[in-house]
Amino acid sequence: RALNKTAQSAQSTAIKTIAQAIGTPQKVIKPFLSRRLAQRQQLTAVLSAPHSRRLPLLTIDPQARQNQRGVMVRAKGQRRQLDHAFIAVMMKNGHRGIYARKSGAARLPIRELQGPSVARVFQQPVVQTALHATIDDRWSVVLDHELQFALHQQGYRR
């Protein structure tokens, strides 16, 4: 239980740090992280970012606005103008995105503009340092608490 609770704290820290690094809400990052819980047979809890898929730019900044020159996007707290880009609904399922034509193309082909992948940001030293600090801080506290709980369940008193 101590491993799983520490992994939960580490996941929360990872979500906060990645969201801050990308400049997006935390709820966007959460589905991209995976946590495998420790069990009696395998005393290892694993936190990973298995999806190498990049985040669509409109997911990073849902308030992006189209203007005459292109699209104005906020990334990492800064506003950026993407010339010749446009916001469109491209599929029947209603997927909205920020698109740009390939250079030199009059009409087609177009491609959706994307930001960084959560997996790549997860591997950056800033995120890894925050994770290790959280694990180091929480592990001893949670382990002591869980040991005291188990002893109390067995009838031992302090």
Side-chain angles (χ1 to χ4, degrees):
R1 286 195 312 231
L3 284 170
N4 293 334
K5 287 183 180 182
T6 304
Q8 172 61 42
S9 296
Q11 182 179 15
S12 297
T13 300
I15 290 170
K16 288 175 190 172
T17 309
I18 292 170
Q20 188 177 27
I22 294 176
T24 186
Q26 293 178 18
K27 68 180 180 179
V28 172
I29 304 300
K30 190 172 183 175
F32 288 88
L33 294 181
S34 172
R35 185 174 38 129
R36 192 177 76 215
L37 300 177
Q39 299 172 350
R40 283 185 179 152
Q41 301 83 10
Q42 186 175 7
L43 294 176
T44 306
V46 178
L47 178 63
S48 63
H51 304 288
S52 61
R53 197 179 75 218
R54 295 172 68 177
L55 291 172
L57 209 50
L58 199 60
T59 303
I60 294 173
D61 182 19
Q63 281 109 20
R65 295 285 176 248
Q66 187 168 343
N67 55 32
Q68 285 183 337
R69 284 180 38 199
V71 176
M72 183 68 78
V73 178
R74 182 194 328 263
K76 294 185 180 180
Q78 299 175 341
R79 303 282 296 152
R80 221 174 91 193
Q81 176 71 33
L82 301 174
D83 292 338
H84 308 292
F86 56 94
I87 298 174
V89 177
M90 297 305 284
M91 293 179 233
K92 290 181 182 178
N93 67 3
H95 174 74
R96 289 181 67 220
I98 299 174
Y99 296 89
R101 287 182 173 78
K102 246 181 157 174
S103 62
R107 185 162 170 79
L108 293 175
I110 62 173
R111 61 183 172 81
E112 186 172 8
L113 301 179
Q114 299 177 338
S117 72
V118 173
R120 175 160 286 186
V121 177
F122 182 76
Q123 295 172 355
Q124 289 181 350
V126 174
V127 176
Q128 291 298 313
T129 303
L131 279 176
H132 290 293
T134 300
I135 291 168
D136 290 343
D137 290 345
R138 296 294 303 153
W139 171 245
S140 59
V141 173
V142 174
L143 181 62
D144 182 49
H145 182 268
E146 291 297 326
L147 286 173
Q148 292 301 322
F149 177 74
L151 290 172
H152 182 74
Q153 292 292 94
Q154 297 297 322
Y156 294 103
R157 304 279 183 227
R158 266 191 177 194

